[in-house]
Amino acid sequence: MARVLRQWWTESNRDMLVLSQDKLIKTLVAAPASRFEAVGGTINGIEFAGNPSSDETLILAHGFGSGLGFFFRNVDALLDSNKYRRVVLFDWLGMGGSERPSCRAAPVRGWSEFTTSFCNSRFNPADAVRFFIDPLHAMLEEHDIDNATLVGHSLGGYLSARYALQYPRRLSRLVLASPVGFPEKPHDALPQSKLPTGLRIVDALWSSNVTPQQLVRLMGSTRGRHNVKRALRGRIPHLQESEVDLLADYLYQITVADPSGEYAINSLLEPVASPNSMGVYAREALHSRMNDLDSSISIKVLFGDTDW
C-alpha cells in the first residue's frame, strides 16, 4: 500500500524510471547501448561495444543519489579512445534502476544497538559495504569480466575501493574520482552534546536515516520535479537546456523510487565537526586500508576544485 501511495503522489514508477534512462542515453549518447543486466535482473546496467581487438573492459560506478545516466557525456569519448573492448555502466543495488530491497533488507543503521523499528536492519558498516560490492562481484563473475578498469565517483569511489580490497582478481586498474571516505576522523571531533544547535539538528536527522530523497518524495510530483531541476542547474551550471530537461527527469525518477540504498548515507558515512572544521567521514576510512590493495592493481585518485 505504501508503494502504491508513493507512486501516486510522485507520479512515478519503475517503467517510467527505465523510460527516462533510455531516453537520456539514446538522445545524448551517439553510440548504441545494449542491456547489461546481471544477478537475475537485480543489477541494472548497459554496455557499449568498443574496440574488438582490446581485452580491457571499463566499468563506471556512480555515486550517492546518482545513477548510470550521469555518465552520458563520458561514453562516446571513452569509446573513441579505442582503449576498451566495451564500456559498462551499472547501478549499485538499491540505487538507480537496480532492484531496491525493502527497508528490512536495506543498509539501515539504527541510532544505537537498542533502537528498534520496522525498518532497522541493524547493518554495521561492513554489512553495508557487502550489500553493495557483493552484487557487483556477482555481475563481474556472471559476465566473466577480467582485466577491468573500475572507475568510481564519490560514494561509488569509496565502494569501488572496498571492492578492490575484497575482490582484486577481476581488476587491473582502479580509478577513484573525488572519492569520499579517505581520511580518518579528526582526533578532536566534537561530541554530539557540544555541537552547535544547527549541527545537532543535522546530526539527529542523519542518525534517524532521513535522506534527501525522502524530502523530494514528500514534495510530490510538481514541486519535486521543480526542485530537482533547480538543484541540478545549481550543481552543474554548464549543462545545455536539452541536457537539463532529460537529466532532471531521470534524476527525479531515481530519486523518488523506493527507498533502499540511500540509507547508506548513515550506515557508511557520518557528519563530523571539530573546533576548526566540519565534514562527512566514512565510518570505516580508506586511509589505513589502501596499503592492503593488491600490488597488481594500478590505482589513480582524482580530486578537483569543480567536483560534483
Side-chain angles (χ1 to χ4, degrees):
M1 178 60 71
R3 173 180 291 179
V4 173
L5 289 174
R6 181 165 55 247
Q7 291 179 346
W8 169 78
W9 177 243
T10 60
E11 297 182 359
S12 175
N13 56 43
R14 163 72 181 173
D15 290 340
M16 295 172 71
L17 188 161
V18 174
L19 182 63
S20 69
Q21 171 190 292
D22 290 347
K23 186 176 181 180
L24 171 70
I25 296 298
K26 289 178 181 178
T27 305
L28 300 180
V29 179
S34 302
R35 293 288 182 199
F36 190 83
E37 293 184 341
V39 200
T42 297
I43 298 300
N44 173 57
I46 56 177
E47 68 173 324
F48 301 85
N51 181 0
S53 63
S54 172
D55 65 349
E56 187 172 347
T57 295
L58 179 68
I59 304 169
L60 302 180
H62 65 81
F64 178 81
S66 184
L68 62 81
F70 273 78
F71 291 111
F72 72 91
R73 277 194 171 188
N74 306 107
V75 174
D76 290 323
L78 290 167
L79 292 173
D80 289 343
S81 73
N82 285 322
K83 291 178 60 178
Y84 306 105
R85 185 178 187 85
R86 58 182 170 180
V87 174
V88 175
L89 319 182
F90 80 98
D91 289 323
W92 296 102
L93 180 65
M95 297 184 181
S98 288
E99 182 178 303
R100 297 190 173 223
S102 65
C103 59
R104 291 296 296 271
V108 182
R109 182 179 187 273
W111 281 65
S112 72
E113 60 180 324
F114 305 108
T115 304
T116 57
S117 77
F118 178 77
C119 280
N120 185 9
S121 57
R122 297 189 180 278
F123 272 44
N124 59 38
D127 294 330
V129 167
R130 287 192 294 271
F131 174 88
F132 293 106
I133 69 171
D134 285 354
L136 170 59
H137 185 59
M139 181 183 83
L140 269 62
E141 293 276 309
E142 181 177 327
H143 289 273
D144 196 25
I145 295 177
D146 285 311
N147 192 32
T149 295
L150 178 59
V151 180
H153 173 244
S154 189
L155 180 63
Y158 177 82
L159 293 172
S160 295
R162 295 298 299 264
Y163 175 82
L165 288 165
Q166 183 69 32
Y167 301 111
R169 186 173 65 86
R170 296 278 178 180
L171 302 183
S172 60
R173 295 181 181 86
L174 177 66
V175 180
L176 309 180
S178 188
V180 300
F182 250 95
E184 302 284 350
K185 288 179 288 187
H187 297 297
D188 57 349
L190 298 173
Q192 202 247 8
S193 60
K194 293 187 177 181
L195 292 174
T197 301
L199 291 180
R200 196 176 301 179
I201 293 173
V202 171
D203 182 73
L205 292 172
W206 191 292
S207 300
S208 301
N209 297 301
V210 175
T211 67
Q213 290 89 334
Q214 290 173 340
L215 301 180
V216 176
R217 293 185 191 104
L218 287 174
M219 294 177 189
S221 178
T222 302
R223 291 179 59 206
R225 291 175 187 274
H226 172 76
N227 282 284
V228 164
K229 180 177 282 191
R230 185 174 66 175
L232 191 62
R233 283 200 179 103
R235 292 300 297 272
I236 318 180
H238 57 271
L239 289 175
Q240 299 175 10
E241 192 61 29
S242 59
E243 294 174 327
V244 170
D245 290 339
L246 290 167
L247 197 58
D249 181 55
Y250 170 71
L251 179 57
Y252 175 77
Q253 296 294 338
I254 63 176
T255 298
V256 301
D258 294 346
S260 185
E262 69 200 61
Y263 294 122
I265 196 174
N266 184 27
S267 55
L268 293 177
L269 308 173
E270 60 179 323
V272 175
S274 68
N276 300 312
S277 66
M278 55 180 270
V280 175
Y281 292 80
R283 296 185 184 276
E284 294 183 346
L286 291 174
H287 181 268
S288 59
R289 297 172 182 268
M290 294 309 290
N291 288 333
D292 297 328
L293 184 67
D294 192 293
S295 60
S296 67
I297 299 177
S298 170
I299 181 171
K300 182 176 289 186
V301 182
L302 309 174
F303 286 101
D305 59 3
T306 57
D307 291 342
W308 164 265

